[in-house]
mmCIF file of all heavy atoms in Angstrom:
data_model
loop_
_atom_site.group_PDB
_atom_site.id
_atom_site.type_symbol
_atom_site.label_atom_id
_atom_site.label_comp_id
_atom_site.label_asym_id
_atom_site.label_seq_id
_atom_site.Cartn_x
_atom_site.Cartn_y
_atom_site.Cartn_z
ATOM 1 N N ILE J 201 1.703 65.596 3.477
ATOM 2 C CA ILE J 201 2.218 65.999 2.172
ATOM 3 C C ILE J 201 2.794 64.796 1.428
ATOM 4 O O ILE J 201 2.528 64.590 0.238
ATOM 5 C CB ILE J 201 3.283 67.094 2.321
ATOM 6 C CG1 ILE J 201 2.667 68.365 2.908
ATOM 7 C CG2 ILE J 201 3.935 67.403 0.974
ATOM 8 C CD1 ILE J 201 3.680 69.452 3.190
ATOM 9 N N SER J 202 3.600 63.983 2.114
ATOM 10 C CA SER J 202 4.250 62.845 1.461
ATOM 11 C C SER J 202 4.601 61.782 2.484
ATOM 12 O O SER J 202 4.760 62.069 3.679
ATOM 13 C CB SER J 202 5.511 63.285 0.715
ATOM 14 O OG SER J 202 6.488 63.771 1.624
ATOM 15 N N PHE J 203 4.708 60.550 1.991
ATOM 16 C CA PHE J 203 5.172 59.423 2.803
ATOM 17 C C PHE J 203 5.938 58.496 1.879
ATOM 18 O O PHE J 203 5.381 58.007 0.884
ATOM 19 C CB PHE J 203 3.994 58.700 3.455
ATOM 20 C CG PHE J 203 4.381 57.444 4.202
ATOM 21 C CD1 PHE J 203 5.445 57.442 5.084
ATOM 22 C CD2 PHE J 203 3.658 56.276 4.035
ATOM 23 C CE1 PHE J 203 5.804 56.300 5.772
ATOM 24 C CE2 PHE J 203 3.999 55.128 4.728
ATOM 25 C CZ PHE J 203 5.077 55.144 5.600
ATOM 26 N N THR J 204 7.236 58.271 2.132
ATOM 27 C CA THR J 204 8.082 57.483 1.237
ATOM 28 C C THR J 204 8.838 56.419 2.013
ATOM 29 O O THR J 204 9.103 56.555 3.212
ATOM 30 C CB THR J 204 9.102 58.371 0.495
ATOM 31 O OG1 THR J 204 9.959 59.007 1.455
ATOM 32 C CG2 THR J 204 8.400 59.422 -0.347
ATOM 33 N N ALA J 205 9.178 55.329 1.311
ATOM 34 C CA ALA J 205 9.999 54.247 1.859
ATOM 35 C C ALA J 205 11.062 53.901 0.840
ATOM 36 O O ALA J 205 10.739 53.597 -0.318
ATOM 37 C CB ALA J 205 9.140 53.029 2.188
ATOM 38 N N GLN J 206 12.335 53.940 1.251
ATOM 39 C CA GLN J 206 13.432 53.677 0.325
ATOM 40 C C GLN J 206 14.414 52.694 0.938
ATOM 41 O O GLN J 206 14.812 52.842 2.106
ATOM 42 C CB GLN J 206 14.172 54.973 -0.018
ATOM 43 C CG GLN J 206 13.338 55.987 -0.779
ATOM 44 C CD GLN J 206 14.144 57.223 -1.142
ATOM 45 O OE1 GLN J 206 15.172 57.504 -0.558
ATOM 46 N NE2 GLN J 206 13.674 57.955 -2.128
ATOM 47 N N PRO J 207 14.822 51.654 0.161
ATOM 48 C CA PRO J 207 15.832 50.721 0.675
ATOM 49 C C PRO J 207 17.211 51.375 0.663
ATOM 50 O O PRO J 207 17.610 51.996 -0.320
ATOM 51 C CB PRO J 207 15.759 49.558 -0.314
ATOM 52 C CG PRO J 207 15.273 50.177 -1.590
ATOM 53 C CD PRO J 207 14.365 51.308 -1.198
ATOM 54 N N LYS J 208 17.902 51.276 1.770
ATOM 55 C CA LYS J 208 19.295 51.687 1.869
ATOM 56 C C LYS J 208 20.111 50.451 2.242
ATOM 57 O O LYS J 208 19.580 49.336 2.294
ATOM 58 C CB LYS J 208 19.452 52.798 2.905
ATOM 59 C CG LYS J 208 18.661 54.062 2.582
ATOM 60 C CD LYS J 208 19.242 54.822 1.415
ATOM 61 C CE LYS J 208 18.505 56.118 1.163
ATOM 62 N NZ LYS J 208 19.037 56.869 -0.001
ATOM 63 N N GLN J 209 21.397 50.615 2.536
ATOM 64 C CA GLN J 209 22.220 49.469 2.883
ATOM 65 C C GLN J 209 21.773 48.868 4.219
ATOM 66 O O GLN J 209 21.999 49.422 5.284
ATOM 67 C CB GLN J 209 23.684 49.883 2.944
ATOM 68 C CG GLN J 209 24.283 50.138 1.557
ATOM 69 C CD GLN J 209 25.768 50.426 1.613
ATOM 70 O OE1 GLN J 209 26.193 51.255 2.386
ATOM 71 N NE2 GLN J 209 26.548 49.729 0.793
ATOM 72 N N GLY J 210 21.064 47.736 4.127
ATOM 73 C CA GLY J 210 20.655 47.005 5.304
ATOM 74 C C GLY J 210 19.419 47.523 6.006
ATOM 75 O O GLY J 210 18.976 46.931 6.991
ATOM 76 N N ILE J 211 18.825 48.618 5.529
ATOM 77 C CA ILE J 211 17.661 49.214 6.189
ATOM 78 C C ILE J 211 16.650 49.664 5.140
ATOM 79 O O ILE J 211 16.937 49.689 3.946
ATOM 80 C CB ILE J 211 18.044 50.423 7.071
ATOM 81 C CG1 ILE J 211 18.588 51.558 6.181
ATOM 82 C CG2 ILE J 211 19.046 50.038 8.145
ATOM 83 C CD1 ILE J 211 18.713 52.882 6.893
ATOM 84 N N VAL J 212 15.454 50.042 5.617
ATOM 85 C CA VAL J 212 14.491 50.781 4.798
ATOM 86 C C VAL J 212 14.268 52.126 5.481
ATOM 87 O O VAL J 212 13.892 52.176 6.657
ATOM 88 C CB VAL J 212 13.162 50.025 4.646
ATOM 89 C CG1 VAL J 212 12.097 50.925 4.023
ATOM 90 C CG2 VAL J 212 13.353 48.785 3.789
ATOM 91 N N LYS J 213 14.530 53.203 4.765
ATOM 92 C CA LYS J 213 14.405 54.548 5.317
ATOM 93 C C LYS J 213 13.007 55.086 5.014
ATOM 94 O O LYS J 213 12.582 55.133 3.863
ATOM 95 C CB LYS J 213 15.461 55.483 4.736
ATOM 96 C CG LYS J 213 15.539 56.837 5.436
ATOM 97 C CD LYS J 213 16.754 57.624 4.958
ATOM 98 C CE LYS J 213 16.883 58.931 5.749
ATOM 99 N NZ LYS J 213 15.794 59.855 5.458
ATOM 100 N N LEU J 214 12.301 55.498 6.059
ATOM 101 C CA LEU J 214 10.938 56.006 5.953
ATOM 102 C C LEU J 214 10.924 57.488 6.286
ATOM 103 O O LEU J 214 11.477 57.910 7.313
ATOM 104 C CB LEU J 214 10.021 55.254 6.923
ATOM 105 C CG LEU J 214 9.958 53.734 6.678
ATOM 106 C CD1 LEU J 214 9.766 52.999 7.978
ATOM 107 C CD2 LEU J 214 8.861 53.390 5.703
ATOM 108 N N ASP J 215 10.317 58.278 5.403
ATOM 109 C CA ASP J 215 10.233 59.725 5.599
ATOM 110 C C ASP J 215 8.811 60.185 5.337
ATOM 111 O O ASP J 215 8.167 59.709 4.387
ATOM 112 C CB ASP J 215 11.184 60.474 4.655
ATOM 113 C CG ASP J 215 12.645 60.140 4.909
ATOM 114 O OD1 ASP J 215 13.200 60.673 5.886
ATOM 115 O OD2 ASP J 215 13.217 59.349 4.140
ATOM 116 N N TRP J 216 8.311 61.100 6.157
ATOM 117 C CA TRP J 216 7.012 61.708 5.888
ATOM 118 C C TRP J 216 7.007 63.160 6.336
ATOM 119 O O TRP J 216 7.756 63.562 7.226
ATOM 120 C CB TRP J 216 5.874 60.910 6.502
ATOM 121 C CG TRP J 216 5.834 60.769 7.994
ATOM 122 C CD1 TRP J 216 5.072 61.472 8.886
ATOM 123 C CD2 TRP J 216 6.551 59.809 8.800
ATOM 124 N NE1 TRP J 216 5.269 61.039 10.173
ATOM 125 C CE2 TRP J 216 6.165 60.017 10.159
ATOM 126 C CE3 TRP J 216 7.491 58.807 8.503
ATOM 127 C CZ2 TRP J 216 6.682 59.258 11.199
ATOM 128 C CZ3 TRP J 216 8.004 58.057 9.553
ATOM 129 C CH2 TRP J 216 7.606 58.287 10.872
ATOM 130 N N ILE J 217 6.156 63.931 5.659
ATOM 131 C CA ILE J 217 6.084 65.379 5.890
ATOM 132 C C ILE J 217 4.624 65.762 6.096
ATOM 133 O O ILE J 217 3.749 65.331 5.338
ATOM 134 C CB ILE J 217 6.668 66.162 4.701
ATOM 135 C CG1 ILE J 217 8.136 65.769 4.470
ATOM 136 C CG2 ILE J 217 6.567 67.670 4.935
ATOM 137 C CD1 ILE J 217 8.725 66.372 3.207
ATOM 138 N N THR J 218 4.357 66.559 7.113
ATOM 139 C CA THR J 218 3.005 67.070 7.351
ATOM 140 C C THR J 218 2.968 68.576 7.116
ATOM 141 O O THR J 218 3.939 69.278 7.416
ATOM 142 C CB THR J 218 2.526 66.772 8.783
ATOM 143 O OG1 THR J 218 3.384 67.441 9.724
ATOM 144 C CG2 THR J 218 2.544 65.281 9.059
ATOM 145 N N ALA J 219 1.854 69.055 6.571
ATOM 146 C CA ALA J 219 1.669 70.495 6.371
ATOM 147 C C ALA J 219 1.044 71.131 7.600
ATOM 148 O O ALA J 219 1.413 72.243 7.989
ATOM 149 C CB ALA J 219 0.802 70.753 5.143
ATOM 150 N N THR J 220 0.076 70.434 8.214
ATOM 151 C CA THR J 220 -0.579 70.910 9.445
ATOM 152 C C THR J 220 -0.841 69.719 10.354
ATOM 153 O O THR J 220 -0.944 68.572 9.893
ATOM 154 C CB THR J 220 -1.916 71.606 9.144
ATOM 155 O OG1 THR J 220 -2.804 70.671 8.497
ATOM 156 C CG2 THR J 220 -1.727 72.828 8.254
ATOM 157 N N GLU J 221 -0.948 69.983 11.663
ATOM 158 C CA GLU J 221 -1.294 68.956 12.631
ATOM 159 C C GLU J 221 -2.276 69.537 13.652
ATOM 160 O O GLU J 221 -2.123 70.683 14.078
ATOM 161 C CB GLU J 221 -0.043 68.431 13.353
ATOM 162 C CG GLU J 221 0.952 67.771 12.419
ATOM 163 C CD GLU J 221 2.104 67.086 13.149
ATOM 164 O OE1 GLU J 221 1.975 66.857 14.369
ATOM 165 O OE2 GLU J 221 3.118 66.771 12.493
ATOM 166 N N LEU J 222 -3.281 68.715 14.008
ATOM 167 C CA LEU J 222 -4.282 69.125 14.991
ATOM 168 C C LEU J 222 -4.469 67.984 15.983
ATOM 169 O O LEU J 222 -4.913 66.892 15.613
ATOM 170 C CB LEU J 222 -5.609 69.459 14.302
ATOM 171 C CG LEU J 222 -6.783 69.835 15.220
ATOM 172 C CD1 LEU J 222 -6.496 71.142 15.962
ATOM 173 C CD2 LEU J 222 -8.081 69.962 14.395
ATOM 174 N N ASN J 223 -4.087 68.219 17.256
ATOM 175 C CA ASN J 223 -4.220 67.206 18.314
ATOM 176 C C ASN J 223 -3.557 65.889 17.944
ATOM 177 O O ASN J 223 -4.060 64.800 18.244
ATOM 178 C CB ASN J 223 -5.709 66.958 18.641
ATOM 179 C CG ASN J 223 -6.393 68.197 19.174
ATOM 180 O OD1 ASN J 223 -5.792 68.976 19.907
ATOM 181 N ND2 ASN J 223 -7.649 68.387 18.797
ATOM 182 N N ASN J 224 -2.405 65.976 17.274
ATOM 183 C CA ASN J 224 -1.703 64.780 16.812
ATOM 184 C C ASN J 224 -0.857 64.193 17.941
ATOM 185 O O ASN J 224 0.162 64.765 18.336
ATOM 186 C CB ASN J 224 -0.814 65.134 15.611
ATOM 187 C CG ASN J 224 -0.048 63.929 15.095
ATOM 188 O OD1 ASN J 224 -0.463 62.788 15.285
ATOM 189 N ND2 ASN J 224 1.075 64.181 14.440
ATOM 190 N N ASP J 225 -1.258 63.031 18.456
ATOM 191 C CA ASP J 225 -0.540 62.389 19.560
ATOM 192 C C ASP J 225 0.695 61.642 19.059
ATOM 193 O O ASP J 225 1.816 61.933 19.464
ATOM 194 C CB ASP J 225 -1.487 61.433 20.290
ATOM 195 C CG ASP J 225 -0.895 60.914 21.597
ATOM 196 O OD1 ASP J 225 0.230 61.306 21.937
ATOM 197 O OD2 ASP J 225 -1.569 60.118 22.274
ATOM 198 N N TYR J 226 0.489 60.669 18.131
ATOM 199 C CA TYR J 226 1.642 59.903 17.645
ATOM 200 C C TYR J 226 1.316 59.215 16.322
ATOM 201 O O TYR J 226 0.156 59.081 15.924
ATOM 202 C CB TYR J 226 2.073 58.850 18.683
ATOM 203 C CG TYR J 226 1.029 57.807 19.004
ATOM 204 C CD1 TYR J 226 0.951 56.616 18.294
ATOM 205 C CD2 TYR J 226 0.123 58.008 20.046
ATOM 206 C CE1 TYR J 226 0.001 55.659 18.599
ATOM 207 C CE2 TYR J 226 -0.829 57.046 20.361
ATOM 208 C CZ TYR J 226 -0.884 55.880 19.636
ATOM 209 O OH TYR J 226 -1.832 54.930 19.924
ATOM 210 N N PHE J 227 2.383 58.786 15.640
ATOM 211 C CA PHE J 227 2.283 57.983 14.424
ATOM 212 C C PHE J 227 2.715 56.553 14.747
ATOM 213 O O PHE J 227 3.631 56.330 15.543
ATOM 214 C CB PHE J 227 3.209 58.509 13.321
ATOM 215 C CG PHE J 227 2.889 59.888 12.832
ATOM 216 C CD1 PHE J 227 3.555 60.985 13.353
ATOM 217 C CD2 PHE J 227 1.944 60.091 11.837
ATOM 218 C CE1 PHE J 227 3.283 62.259 12.896
ATOM 219 C CE2 PHE J 227 1.658 61.359 11.378
ATOM 220 C CZ PHE J 227 2.332 62.455 11.907
ATOM 221 N N THR J 228 2.069 55.594 14.112
ATOM 222 C CA THR J 228 2.511 54.200 14.162
ATOM 223 C C THR J 228 2.887 53.780 12.748
ATOM 224 O O THR J 228 2.068 53.898 11.827
ATOM 225 C CB THR J 228 1.403 53.271 14.690
ATOM 226 O OG1 THR J 228 0.931 53.757 15.953
ATOM 227 C CG2 THR J 228 1.936 51.859 14.865
ATOM 228 N N VAL J 229 4.131 53.335 12.566
ATOM 229 C CA VAL J 229 4.560 52.815 11.267
ATOM 230 C C VAL J 229 4.230 51.327 11.236
ATOM 231 O O VAL J 229 4.649 50.570 12.128
ATOM 232 C CB VAL J 229 6.062 53.036 11.045
ATOM 233 C CG1 VAL J 229 6.498 52.450 9.703
ATOM 234 C CG2 VAL J 229 6.405 54.520 11.109
ATOM 235 N N GLU J 230 3.466 50.904 10.220
ATOM 236 C CA GLU J 230 3.058 49.510 10.098
ATOM 237 C C GLU J 230 3.568 48.924 8.790
ATOM 238 O O GLU J 230 3.693 49.631 7.785
ATOM 239 C CB GLU J 230 1.538 49.378 10.179
ATOM 240 C CG GLU J 230 0.965 49.864 11.505
ATOM 241 C CD GLU J 230 -0.535 49.707 11.580
ATOM 242 O OE1 GLU J 230 -1.184 49.510 10.528
ATOM 243 O OE2 GLU J 230 -1.071 49.791 12.693
ATOM 244 N N ARG J 231 3.821 47.615 8.792
ATOM 245 C CA ARG J 231 4.389 46.930 7.621
ATOM 246 C C ARG J 231 3.588 45.666 7.328
ATOM 247 O O ARG J 231 3.091 44.996 8.239
ATOM 248 C CB ARG J 231 5.847 46.572 7.904
ATOM 249 C CG ARG J 231 6.584 45.876 6.767
ATOM 250 C CD ARG J 231 8.023 45.560 7.181
ATOM 251 N NE ARG J 231 8.045 44.654 8.325
ATOM 252 C CZ ARG J 231 8.966 44.690 9.289
ATOM 253 N NH1 ARG J 231 9.916 45.603 9.278
ATOM 254 N NH2 ARG J 231 8.910 43.819 10.290
ATOM 255 N N THR J 232 3.460 45.341 6.030
ATOM 256 C CA THR J 232 2.732 44.134 5.623
ATOM 257 C C THR J 232 3.361 43.539 4.377
ATOM 258 O O THR J 232 3.943 44.260 3.547
ATOM 259 C CB THR J 232 1.246 44.439 5.347
ATOM 260 O OG1 THR J 232 0.566 43.225 4.969
ATOM 261 C CG2 THR J 232 1.088 45.448 4.224
ATOM 262 N N LYS J 233 3.246 42.237 4.224
ATOM 263 C CA LYS J 233 3.655 41.567 2.989
ATOM 264 C C LYS J 233 2.474 41.338 2.062
ATOM 265 O O LYS J 233 2.630 41.311 0.840
ATOM 266 C CB LYS J 233 4.295 40.203 3.316
ATOM 267 C CG LYS J 233 5.715 40.279 3.819
ATOM 268 C CD LYS J 233 6.719 40.633 2.728
ATOM 269 C CE LYS J 233 6.919 39.498 1.749
ATOM 270 N NZ LYS J 233 7.956 39.815 0.733
ATOM 271 N N ASP J 234 1.288 41.155 2.626
ATOM 272 C CA ASP J 234 0.141 40.718 1.826
ATOM 273 C C ASP J 234 -1.004 41.726 1.774
ATOM 274 O O ASP J 234 -2.023 41.466 1.147
ATOM 275 C CB ASP J 234 -0.393 39.381 2.347
ATOM 276 C CG ASP J 234 -0.793 39.425 3.827
ATOM 277 O OD1 ASP J 234 -0.896 40.538 4.385
ATOM 278 O OD2 ASP J 234 -0.995 38.349 4.420
ATOM 279 N N GLY J 235 -0.847 42.894 2.448
ATOM 280 C CA GLY J 235 -1.917 43.882 2.464
ATOM 281 C C GLY J 235 -3.051 43.513 3.402
ATOM 282 O O GLY J 235 -4.041 44.242 3.507
ATOM 283 N N LYS J 236 -2.903 42.422 4.152
ATOM 284 C CA LYS J 236 -3.970 41.939 5.042
ATOM 285 C C LYS J 236 -3.518 41.953 6.501
ATOM 286 O O LYS J 236 -4.217 42.466 7.371
ATOM 287 C CB LYS J 236 -4.381 40.529 4.632
ATOM 288 C CG LYS J 236 -5.499 39.930 5.464
ATOM 289 C CD LYS J 236 -5.885 38.559 4.934
ATOM 290 C CE LYS J 236 -7.021 37.944 5.749
ATOM 291 N NZ LYS J 236 -7.420 36.611 5.238
ATOM 292 N N THR J 237 -2.359 41.388 6.765
ATOM 293 C CA THR J 237 -1.826 41.308 8.122
ATOM 294 C C THR J 237 -0.719 42.341 8.294
ATOM 295 O O THR J 237 0.297 42.289 7.593
ATOM 296 C CB THR J 237 -1.272 39.904 8.416
ATOM 297 O OG1 THR J 237 -2.307 38.937 8.209
ATOM 298 C CG2 THR J 237 -0.779 39.814 9.842
#
Side-chain angles (χ1 to χ4, degrees):
I201 296 175
S202 65
F203 174 48
T204 61
Q206 295 183 340
K208 299 289 184 181
Q209 287 185 310
I211 65 168
V212 169
K213 190 171 185 293
L214 300 147
D215 297 283
W216 63 100
I217 301 173
T218 62
T220 60
E221 298 188 16
L222 177 65
N223 298 324
N224 180 25
D225 190 1
Y226 62 90
F227 296 96
T228 306
V229 178
E230 299 181 344
R231 181 181 62 214
T232 181
K233 282 287 289 183
D234 57 13
K236 181 177 181 179
T237 303

